[in-house]
C-alpha cells in the first residue's frame, strides 16, 4: 500500500505558461530513479523542426536548480538527446532547447538525476552537476521551432510526488498575496489533514489558488480522532509564543463539542513520562510553521455541523480567528478511526499515557516495606539514616536457577557521601527522620534532609519492583563555601565484585585498580557494573540535566551531557581499588566553590542484579528462526518462534509495522495454527519515511527527530531537505529512515502502536535491534505485550558497542536497564567468540549474571563455548553453523527439567583439571550432560574430576559417552579419569549416566 495517492490534476498557470495546462501524475515506477532521478517532465513535440523550445513551469522546491543536470530522453528510442541547451533555469521555470532526434512524439526531461554513493544501507544521493552546453553556436537558428506542449510533470511514484504541498508559489504570487493584505503581519492558512504541510520556506501554490481563508470546513465521524492544520506564515517580523485557543463548537440543534477536546499538538500535550508538556513555538519571518490541531470528537454527539473558533495569537500581534465548521456524519469511528492512519487519526497517540501506572510485571512480586528494609524479588535493600543504602543483599544461588534463604551482602558498609572542606575534613550531618512518601506494590519512595551549618543535603530515593534504585541528591549551599571534594563511596564486598564492565573495560574479571576520567565527547560512559554472577550493582552518575544520548553509531552526533556536579568541568572521575576488606568505587568530583543558594544535583541510579533466576526450560524449548519464510519450512526445522525482520513482505518499513498489517495478521494466524509464535522487528531509534505521520512529526521541531546534517537517500533530500540524520536504508524497497531524537512523545505512540499490534494483529512479542528508549518505555511495552494473556516475548540484539562511533560502551552495560523485561539476548556482530575470555562470555554475552540467557551470531558463534552458557547460534542466520544437531542432542538427552550448574559455581560436581577448559553441567536424576570447551592456545588433554555422590550416580554403573553430533563432535566413549583430548577452540558434550 502506498503512502499517498497522487491524482491527475490540471492547474492553469500564469506567466509564460499561461496557455498551457500542467498535470501532476504518478509514473508507477516506469524508470530507474537511481539512474535518472525521481522526477521528469513529459513533453509532446507535435510539429516538425530541428529545434524544439520548451518553457517548463516546474515550480521546484529544491534549491540551486541551475547547478543540477538536465537530460532530455527520446521516448521512442529511450536514448538521451545529443543536443540540449539551457538558456534559463530557476526554481520557478526553465527554458531549454533540444533536438527532437526522431521527430514528433514524446520526450522526457529528467531534471534531478543523481548518483548513489556510499554503503548500500547508508547511501548518499549526489545530484549530478549540470554539464556545459554542447556548443554555444547551437542552435544556429530558432526561426522554425517545433511546437512543444508541456504535457505533465511526473514523479517516479506517489511516494516521491511533490503534488500538491511541495509545488511552490512563485515569488510574484507570494508578493502579490502580501500586497493584497497590507494590514496582516502574518497569515494563517487552514489546511486539511490529507495534505500535510511539508515546506517551511515556500508557500505551496495550492494556498495561492485558494487565497486567504478565515474559515475551515471538514467532515468527520462521531468519535473520530480528528485533525487539521493551521499554517502560520509571518510576513513582517518573527512571531513569538504562537498559541491557539478554542471555543466550544456548537450545532444549530444545541449540540456541543467542548473546547477542552481540542488542542494544538505543537504547543501542548503529555510527555513520555506523563508530565504535562508545553512548548513555546516561535516562527521566523518568511518561514512556515504547521500547527496540528487535534479534536477528540465525542461518540455520543448528534450528527450535524458544529461551528466554533480557533484563535491564533502571538506576542504583540493581533489575533487571527479562524471559523471552524466540522460536519459530523452519522458514521461512528471505531477506536477513534485509528484503522485509517493516513487521516492522521493516530496523532493522538503521541499524548498517550497507556500502561504508565507502575504495576508489577511478572515474574516480579510486590515490594514489601518493613521499617527501613524493602524486599523485592530475590533482593533486599536496607536504608541508612541519611536515606542512602545501608546494605543491599541478594538471595540467588550461584547456579542462578533458584532462590536461597541465605543472603549475599553486596556492601561492606553503607553507601555514603564525603563532602570535604578545604581543611581536608568531612562535613558532619544532622539527619532528620526518614519519611516514606509512597508505598505502592511497584514503587516505594522516601526522602530525608541532612543538614550542616554550611550545606543542606536533600535525599530523595525510589526503589521499583525490578531492582531499579534511583537517587536525587541535592547539595544546597546555606552560605558561600569552598569544597575540596564531593565523593560518593560504594564499598563492595569482594565476593560481590569479582567481575566488572564499563568505564573503558570490556566485561571480565575486575582489575585491582582502575582510574577513569569523564570524556563525554567520545565515550558513552557514566558508570559501571561491578558484581558476581548472583550479586552486583550497576551504577550511573547523573544530574538534573541528564538527557539520554543517541546510541549505536549515532552516539557522536548526540553524546552524553557532562553532569555539572560529577564532571565539574573535567575535575571529576572514578577510581576503583581495594581498601581494607572492600572493593571501593570512589566517585569524586573535585574542588569547587558554591555561593549561598547554589544547588548541585549529585544524582545516581543503581540496578541491583540479578533481576530474576534464569529460565533454562524456556531456553531449551523456544528455538528462534530469524527469517521470514514459508511456515511449513520453518516448522520442519524444529524452530518454535519466528522473528520477522523489517524489509519483508509482511513488515516492510523499519519501525513502522502498520502498513502491511493485514498480510502480517494472515501470516500470524496461520503460524498459530501450526503451533508457531511470531515476533516482529519494531523499535525506536530510527523511523521509516513511509510513516503516515512523517510531516506532522517534523512540524514538532527536534522533539521526535534528531537534528543533523541531512543528506542520505534522495527522498530524504528532496522532501525533508535539511536538519535530520539519515539512518538505515533498504535498497530493494527504497525505505529510508531518519534517526529519532531520544526520549520524546514518540515513545507514547510506540506503546500505543504496540498495543494495537497485539490486539489487532496478534503478534507474540518483539525483536529489538538495539534500543533507543528508556526503562519506563520498556515497562510499558512489556505490559501491553503481555496483556490479556499474550506471551509478550522480547529478545534484544546488539552489535558490540565497544568502538569509537558507539562511544566505547558495552552492550550489556548500555542496555542493562532493559534486561528485567527481556526473554533472551542475541549479542552478535563483533563479539568475536573465538577471541574473548570465558568471563567476557559470561558478563557481556550470556546474560546469566542478570537472569537471562542468550544466543550467538558473529561468524556463526562458537558452538562448544556457547554450550558452556547454554547458547547456540540462531537459525538460519549463519552459513555453516546450523544449530539443529545441537537441538537434537538436547532432545535426546532431555534438557527440559535439567538443572544447569555453570563452571562459575564453586561446588560444580564436574570440573576440569585445566583452568582453560571450563565445564558446565546439566543435571538430571541419574544422568548429566557435561559441556566442556577450550580456551587453551593449543590442543590439550584434560581429565574430569567428578563428584559422583553429588551427581547421585554410582561410578561403577556409569558410562561416559559422546554421541555423534554433526559439525560438533564424533561419537566416543571415555572412562573415569581417562584423558580427553580437546582441540583448540572446541570441546565436547558428554553424557554421564548409570547403565
Amino acid at each position: 500500500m502506498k503512502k499517498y495517492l497522487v491524482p491527475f490534476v490540471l492547474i492553469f498557470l500564469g506567466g509564460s505558461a499561461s496557455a498551457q495546462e500542467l498535470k501532476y501524475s504518478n509514473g508507477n515506477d516506469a524508470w530507474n530513479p537511481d539512474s535518472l532521478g525521481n522526477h521528469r517532465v513529459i513533453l509532446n513535440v507535435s510539429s516538425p523542426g530541428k529545434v524544439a523550445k520548451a518553457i517548463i513551469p516546474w515550480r521546484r522546491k529544491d534549491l540551486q536548480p541551475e547547478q543540477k543536470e538536465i537530460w532530455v530522453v527520446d521516448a521512442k528510442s529511450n536514448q538521451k538527446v545529443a543536443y540540449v541547451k539551457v538558456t534559463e533555469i530557476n526554481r520557478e521555470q526553465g527554458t531549454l532547447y533540444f533536438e527532437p532526434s526522431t521527430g514528433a512524439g514524446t520526450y522526457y526531461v529528467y531534471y534531478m538525476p543523481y548518483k548513489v554513493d556510499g554503503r548500500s544501507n547508508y547511501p548518499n544521493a549526489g545530484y549530478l552537476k549540470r554539464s556545459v552546453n554542447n556548443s554555444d553556436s547551437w542552435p544556429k537558428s530558432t526561426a522554425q521551432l517545433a511546437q512543444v506542449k508541456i504535457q505533465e510533470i511526473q514523479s517516479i511514484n506517489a511516494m516521491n510526488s511533490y503534488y500538491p504541498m511541495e509545488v511552490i508559489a512563485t515569488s510574484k504570487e507570494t508578493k502579490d498575496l502580501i500586497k493584497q493584505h497590507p494590514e496582516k503581519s502574518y497569515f494563517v492558512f487552514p489546511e486539511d489533514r490529507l495534505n500535510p504541510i511539508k515546506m517551511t520556506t515556500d508557500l505551496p501554490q495550492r494556498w495561492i489558488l485558494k487565497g486567504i481563508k478565515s474559515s475551515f470546513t471538514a467532515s468527520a465521524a462521531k468519535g473520530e480522532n480528528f485533525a487539521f492544520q493551521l499554517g502560520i506564515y509571518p510576513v513582517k517580523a518573527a512571531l513569538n509564543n504562537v498559541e491557539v485557543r478554542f471555543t466550544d463548537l456548537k450545532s444549530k440543534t444545541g449540540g456541543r463539542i467542548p473546547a477542552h477536546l481540542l488542542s494544538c499538538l505543537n504547543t501542548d500535550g503529555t510527555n513520555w513520562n506523563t508530565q504535562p508538556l508545553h512548548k513555546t513555538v516561535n516562527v521566523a519571518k518568511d518561514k512556515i510553521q504547521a500547527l496540528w490541531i487535534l479534536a477528540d470528537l465525542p461518540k455520543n454527539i448528534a450528527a450535524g455541523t458544529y461551528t466554533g473558533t480557533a484563535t491564533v495569537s502571538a506576542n504583540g500581534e493581533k489575533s487571527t480567528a479562524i471559523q471552524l465548521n466540522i460536519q459530523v456524519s452519522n458514521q461512528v469511528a471505531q477506536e477513534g478511526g485509528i484503522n485509517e492512519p493516513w487521516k492522521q487519526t493516530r496523532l493522538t497517540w503521541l499524548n498517550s499515557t497507556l500502561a504508565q501506572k507502575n504495576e508489577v510485571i511478572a515474574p516480579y512480586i510486590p515490594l514489601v516495606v518493613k521499617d527501613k528494609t524493602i524486599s523485592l524479588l530475590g533482593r533486599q535493600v536496607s536504608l541508612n539514616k541519611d536515606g542512602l543504602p545501608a546494605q543491599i543483599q541478594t538471595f540467588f544461588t550461584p547456579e542462578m536457577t533458584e532462590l536461597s534463604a541465605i543472603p549475599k551482602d553486596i556492601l561492606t558498609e553503607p553507601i555514603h557521601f564525603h563532602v570535604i572542606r578545604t581543611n581536608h575534613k568531612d562535613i558532619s550531618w544532622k539527619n532528620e527522620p526518614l519519611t516514606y512518601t509512597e508505598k505502592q506494590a511497584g514503587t516505594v519512595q522516601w526522602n530525608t534532609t541532612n543538614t550542616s551549618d554550611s550545606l543542606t543535603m536533600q535525599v530523595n530515593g525510589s526503589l521499583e519492583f525490578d531492582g531499579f534504585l534511583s537517587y536525587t541528591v541535592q547539595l544546597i549551599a546555606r552560605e558561600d563555601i569552598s569544597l575540596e571534594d564531593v565523593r560518593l563511596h560504594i564499598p563492595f564486598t569482594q565476593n560481590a565484585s569479582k567481575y566488572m564492565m564499563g568505564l573503558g573495560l570490556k566485561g571480565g574479571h575486575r582489575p585491582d585498580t582502575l582510574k577513569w576520567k569523564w570524556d563525554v565527547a567520545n565515550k558513552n560512559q557514566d558508570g559501571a557494573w561491578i558484581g558476581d554472577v548472583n550479586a552486583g550493582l550497576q551504577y550511573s552518575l547523573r544530574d538534573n540535566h541528564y538527557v539520554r544520548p543517541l546510541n549505536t553509531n549515532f552516539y557522536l552526533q548526540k553524546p552524553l551531557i557532562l553532569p555539572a556536579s560529577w564532571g565539574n568541568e573535567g575535575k571529576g572521575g572514578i577510581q576503583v581499588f581495594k581498601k581494607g576488606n572492600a572493593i571501593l568505587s570512589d566517585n569524586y568530583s573535585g574542588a569547587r566553590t558554591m555561593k549561598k543558594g547554589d544547588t548541585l544535583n549529585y544524582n545516581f541510579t543503581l540496578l541491583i542484579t540479578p533481576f530474576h533466576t534464569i529460565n533454562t526450560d524456556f531456553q531449551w524449548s523456544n528455538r528462534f528462526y530469524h527469517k521470514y519464510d514459508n511456515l511449513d519450512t520453518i516448522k520442519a526445522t524444529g524452530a518454535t518462534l519466528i522473528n520477522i525482520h523489517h524489509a519483508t513482505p509482511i513488515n516492510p518499513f523499519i519501525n513502522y509495522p502498520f502498513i502491511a498489517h493485514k498480510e502480517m495478521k494472515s501470516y500470524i494466524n496461520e503460524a498459530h495454527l501450526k503451533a508457531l509464535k511470531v515476533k516482529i522487528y519494531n523499535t525506536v531509534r530510527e523511523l521509516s519515511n513511509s510513516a503516515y505521520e512523517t510531516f506532522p512529526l517534523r512540524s514538532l521541531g527536534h522533539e521526535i527527530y534528531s537534528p543533523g546534517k541531512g543528506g542520505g537517500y534522495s527522498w530524504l533530500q528532496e522532501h525533508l531537505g535539511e536538519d535530520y540524520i539519515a539512518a538505515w536504508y533498504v535498497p530493494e524497497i527504497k525505505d529510508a529512515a531518519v534517526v529519532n531524537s531520544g526520549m520524546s512523545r514518540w515513545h507514547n505512540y510506540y506503546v500505543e502502536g504496540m498495543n494495537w499490534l497485539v490486539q489487532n494483529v496478534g503478534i507474540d512479542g518483539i525483536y529489538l535491534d538495539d534500543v533507543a528508549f528508556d526503562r519506563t518505555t520498556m515497562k510499558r511495552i512489556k505490559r501491553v505485550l503481555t496483556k490479556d494473556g499474550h506471551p509478550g516475548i522480547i529478545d534484544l540484539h546488539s552489535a558490540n558497542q565497544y568502538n569509537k562511533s558507539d562511544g566505547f560502551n558495552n552492550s550489556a552495560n548500555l542496555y542493562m536497564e532493559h534486561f528485567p523485561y527481556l526473554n533472551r539476548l542475541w549479542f552478535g556482530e563483533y563479539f568475536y567468540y573465538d577471541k574473548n575470555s570465558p568471563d567476557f562470555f559470561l558478563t557481556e554475552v550470556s546474560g546469566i549474571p542478570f537472569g537471562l540467557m542468550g544466543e550467538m551470531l558473529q561468524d556463526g558463534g562458537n558452538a562448544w563455548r556457547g554450550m558452556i552458557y547454554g547458547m547456540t547460534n540462531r537459525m538460519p542466520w549463519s552459513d555453516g553453523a546450523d544449530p539443529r544437531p545441537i537441538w537434537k542432542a538436547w532432545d535426546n538427552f532431555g534438557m527440559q527439567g535439567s538443572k544447569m550448574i555453570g563452571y562459575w559455581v564453586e561446588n560444580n560436581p564436574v570440573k576440569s583439571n585445566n583452568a582453560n577448559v571450563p565445564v558446565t553441567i546439566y543435571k538430571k536424576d541419574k544422568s548429566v550432560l557435561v559441556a566442556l570447551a577450550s580456551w587453551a592456545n593449543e590442543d590439550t588433554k584434560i581429565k574430569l574430576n567428578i563428584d559422583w555422590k553429588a551427581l547421585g550416580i554410582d561410578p561403577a554403573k556409569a558410562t561416559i559417552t559422546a554421541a555423534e553430533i554433526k559439525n560438533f563432535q564424533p561419537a566416543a566413549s571415555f572412562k573415569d579419569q581417562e584423558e580427553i583430548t580437546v582441540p583448540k577452540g572446541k570441546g565436547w558434550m558428554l553424557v554421564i549416566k548409570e547403565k
Side-chain angles (χ1 to χ4, degrees), residues 415-430:
I415 294 175
H416 55 277
F417 277 93
H418 290 282
V419 182
I420 308 168
R421 298 181 186 271
T422 53
N423 63 3
H424 314 306
K425 292 184 178 181
D426 279 18
I427 289 178
S428 297
W429 302 99
K430 179 182 178 182

Side-chain angles (χ1 to χ4, degrees), residues 904-977:
W904 53 88
V905 179
E906 187 176 348
N907 62 354
N908 187 336
V910 182
K911 295 180 179 178
S912 162
N913 67 348
N914 186 327
N916 290 320
V917 186
V919 174
T920 292
I921 70 169
Y922 304 89
K923 182 179 177 294
K924 298 181 70 175
D925 185 31
K926 302 298 183 183
S927 65
V928 60
L929 188 149
V930 178
L932 56 97
S934 177
W935 272 265
N937 293 325
E938 56 190 15
D939 294 354
T940 188
K941 294 181 182 294
I942 63 116
K943 289 184 179 181
L944 295 179
N945 297 321
I946 303 172
D947 184 341
W948 294 100
K949 184 177 180 181
L951 290 181
I953 295 175
D954 183 349
K957 299 178 182 179
T959 60
I960 305 174
T961 59
E964 181 181 359
I965 302 175
K966 184 180 179 182
N967 296 326
F968 188 93
Q969 69 186 22
S973 62
F974 303 94
K975 296 179 180 179
D976 187 17
Q977 292 301 303

Side-chain angles (χ1 to χ4, degrees), residues 432-449:
E432 295 184 6
L434 184 146
T435 302
Y436 287 105
T437 56
E438 181 179 349
K439 290 183 181 179
Q440 300 290 338
T443 307
V444 173
Q445 295 183 347
W446 60 92
N447 63 35
T448 189
T449 302

Side-chain angles (χ1 to χ4, degrees), residues 280-543:
T280 300
V281 174
N282 301 324
V283 189
K285 180 178 178 293
D286 298 328
K287 297 290 186 181
I288 300 163
Q289 172 66 53
L291 299 180
W292 279 88
I293 310 303
L294 307 183
D296 299 325
L297 305 182
K299 282 186 176 181
N300 57 356
I301 60 173
T305 299
Y306 288 77
T307 300
T309 303
T311 301
V312 178
S313 64
N315 291 350
E317 297 289 348
K318 183 179 178 181
S319 297
T320 299
I322 303 294
Q323 180 177 306
L324 306 178
N325 306 298
I326 309 300
Q327 299 167 347
V328 179
S329 69
N330 276 312
Q331 181 182 358
V332 178
Q334 299 300 312
E335 297 184 81
I338 58 176
N339 289 328
E340 297 180 300
W342 52 90
K343 293 182 178 179
Q344 307 300 342
T345 49
R346 295 184 180 181
L347 287 178
T348 188
W349 284 0
L350 291 168
N351 293 321
S352 171
T353 60
L354 178 66
Q356 276 282 12
K357 187 177 180 181
N358 201 35
E359 296 173 333
V360 178
I361 301 169
Y364 302 101
I365 59 176
L367 296 166
V368 175
V369 181
K370 186 176 182 181
D371 297 327
K372 290 184 180 179
T373 299
I374 310 168
S375 300
L376 60 157
L377 178 67
R379 290 151 292 172
Q380 185 170 279
V381 178
S382 299
L383 299 176
N384 202 9
K385 58 185 179 180
D386 62 2
L388 300 175
Q391 183 56 269
I392 301 174
Q393 298 171 309
T394 65
F395 294 83
F396 296 92
T397 63
E399 295 88 343
M400 278 299 298
T401 55
E402 298 171 298
L403 294 177
S404 169
I406 302 172
K408 183 170 182 174
D409 292 347
I410 292 179
L411 305 175
T412 60
E413 60 176 325
I415 294 175
H416 55 277
F417 277 93
H418 290 282
V419 182
I420 308 168
R421 298 181 186 271
T422 53
N423 63 3
H424 314 306
K425 292 184 178 181
D426 279 18
I427 289 178
S428 297
W429 302 99
K430 179 182 178 182
N431 309 116
E432 295 184 6
L434 184 146
T435 302
Y436 287 105
T437 56
E438 181 179 349
K439 290 183 181 179
Q440 300 290 338
T443 307
V444 173
Q445 295 183 347
W446 60 92
N447 63 35
T448 189
T449 302
N450 308 294
T451 58
S452 72
D453 292 340
S454 306
L455 295 168
T456 297
M457 182 186 288
Q458 180 67 44
V459 177
N460 292 274
S462 173
L463 177 63
E464 297 190 33
F465 60 85
D466 60 359
F468 178 73
L469 188 53
S470 176
Y471 276 99
T472 299
V473 179
Q474 288 187 316
L475 206 61
I476 307 165
R478 304 178 70 177
E479 61 184 22
D480 293 355
I481 185 172
S482 296
L483 298 173
E484 178 183 285
D485 210 341
V486 178
R487 313 178 85 103
L488 173 68
H489 281 180
I490 307 176
F492 289 84
T493 62
Q494 292 191 44
N495 66 353
S497 57
K498 183 177 180 180
Y499 305 104
M500 182 175 179
M501 65 178 159
L503 302 181
L505 293 177
K506 292 170 65 175
H509 266 273
R510 171 193 45 77
D512 291 336
T513 302
L514 176 123
K515 295 184 178 180
W516 175 88
K517 296 287 288 183
W518 290 90
D519 181 12
V520 295
N522 301 294
K523 296 177 181 177
N524 187 8
Q525 297 168 15
D526 56 9
W529 174 79
I530 300 174
D532 196 1
V533 173
N534 61 341
L537 289 177
Q538 184 204 54
Y539 71 92
S540 176
L541 306 179
R542 302 177 178 180
D543 70 0

